[in-house]
Amino acid sequence: MIGLPQHLGIEQRGRVIFAIMMRDMRTRFGRSHVGYMIAIAWPLVHLSVLVSMMLYANRVLPFGTDPAVFVVSGVLPYILCLYPARMMGYSVEANRALFLFPVVNVFDVIVARAVIEFLTAFVVAIIFCGALLSFGVDILPVNYSAWAGGVLATVYLSISMGVLNTVISSIFKMWHVAFVLLMFLMYATAGVFVLPSSFSPGVRAFMWYNPLLHCVEWVRSSYYDGYGGEMLSKEFVFWVATSCLMLGLLGERFLRGKLLGT
């Protein structure tokens, strides 16, 4: 397997990754696990503000009857995809001191950060959806298999983008700024608030190449019968994610010395 030292077994490697995770959680915001609650509160506030704005505006929805369901079905893929992918880009520089230990390598740091970020994203989703259910909002999807498929595809895309983001940002420091701009572009063209069908054919053709758009359409199709047939391409999400993952793993393999600063 790429990046795994041969002298450590799976159990030992798992312990190393778990130790990195615990260190990451304790040092991310301050020196205690309590500070890590900020990492949960940040996207949670983002979700809450967006849904509150839609409810306050009380405008005619482009699809469906519940603004909370429409917004969450669009914002959830963003939270599960771009938040973790962005934070994974900081994994190497945040844990560079650990590379002084021979048992720690770049792959361990990437995996540890990926696990933390996705646990955080899913905790945020569970808390927010639980809060909506407690207020009487029916946030449960109509098609559970489509919802699970869309979420898993989004997670796969995020992991792949995160691995590639880690490699690029470890070499080019200004890439963090570029990735934020990329996030904004993907967010703005993902059809989170406006249906793709409301745009001109030329704009829709441009939006089609945004993999996050397909993730949004996939998840949203689990809430609305007959939705997503025109723009959704599940194969496109798979190929973009797989390409990013292969490029990221190749970068970790062949640029390992560069990543470690040696």
Side-chain angles (χ1 to χ4, degrees):
M1 181 177 294
I2 294 177
L4 292 182
Q6 299 299 319
H7 62 278
L8 288 182
I10 296 178
E11 182 178 353
Q12 290 78 10
R13 181 55 53 199
R15 291 176 180 175
V16 171
I17 293 174
F18 182 76
I20 297 173
M21 290 172 55
M22 293 297 101
R23 177 187 181 276
D24 200 351
M25 292 178 66
R26 286 184 63 88
T27 58
R28 182 79 66 87
F29 299 100
R31 292 287 180 179
S32 67
H33 292 296
V34 176
Y36 187 72
M37 297 300 293
I38 299 175
I40 297 177
W42 191 348
L44 190 60
V45 170
H46 186 178
L47 273 170
S48 302
V49 169
L50 288 175
V51 174
S52 298
M53 289 174 59
M54 290 292 292
L55 291 172
Y56 179 78
N58 194 28
R59 65 182 187 179
V60 178
L61 289 174
F63 206 86
T65 58
D66 195 323
V69 174
F70 183 83
V71 175
V72 171
S73 64
V75 177
L76 183 61
Y78 167 78
I79 297 295
L80 292 177
C81 181
L82 298 186
Y83 265 80
R86 176 174 177 265
M87 295 308 297
M88 284 177 66
Y90 295 95
S91 58
V92 170
E93 57 190 82
N95 295 280
R96 192 176 293 274
L98 296 181
F99 297 133
L100 296 174
F101 299 95
V103 296
V104 178
N105 61 29
V106 176
F107 189 85
D108 300 331
V109 170
I110 294 175
V111 172
R113 177 59 69 93
V115 173
I116 290 176
E117 294 306 324
F118 283 106
L119 287 177
T120 302
F122 278 111
V123 167
V124 169
I126 291 172
I127 292 176
F128 190 75
C129 292
L132 289 178
L133 287 172
S134 67
F135 283 104
V137 178
D138 187 10
I139 199 64
L140 298 178
V142 176
N143 188 331
Y144 286 94
S145 61
W147 184 89
V151 168
L152 290 176
T154 303
V155 169
Y156 178 42
L157 176 64
S158 182
I159 291 175
S160 303
M161 291 179 60
V163 173
L164 183 58
N165 182 32
T166 300
V167 174
I168 298 177
S169 61
S170 298
I171 300 173
F172 306 104
K173 301 303 180 183
M174 290 301 295
W175 175 250
H176 290 304
V177 178
F179 192 80
V180 171
L181 296 177
L182 178 63
M183 286 177 58
F184 178 78
L185 178 62
M186 294 179 67
Y187 187 33
T189 59
V192 175
F193 301 110
V194 182
L195 292 177
S197 58
S198 63
F199 293 98
S200 65
V203 175
R204 289 202 304 270
F206 172 77
M207 294 173 64
W208 191 90
Y209 290 98
N210 179 3
L212 183 61
L213 167 70
H214 298 274
C215 293
V216 171
E217 295 287 283
W218 197 338
V219 172
R220 193 165 275 165
S221 68
S222 67
Y223 288 93
Y224 307 110
D225 291 331
Y227 182 87
E230 180 182 356
M231 294 289 288
L232 175 59
S233 175
K234 300 176 181 178
E235 294 80 8
F236 181 72
V237 177
F238 174 79
W239 286 114
V240 170
T242 302
S243 299
C244 289
L245 182 60
M246 292 299 102
L247 289 173
L249 291 177
L250 286 173
E252 189 277 336
R253 178 70 174 179
F254 295 108
L255 301 177
R256 191 175 304 165
K258 180 75 173 179
L259 290 173
L260 298 180
T262 58

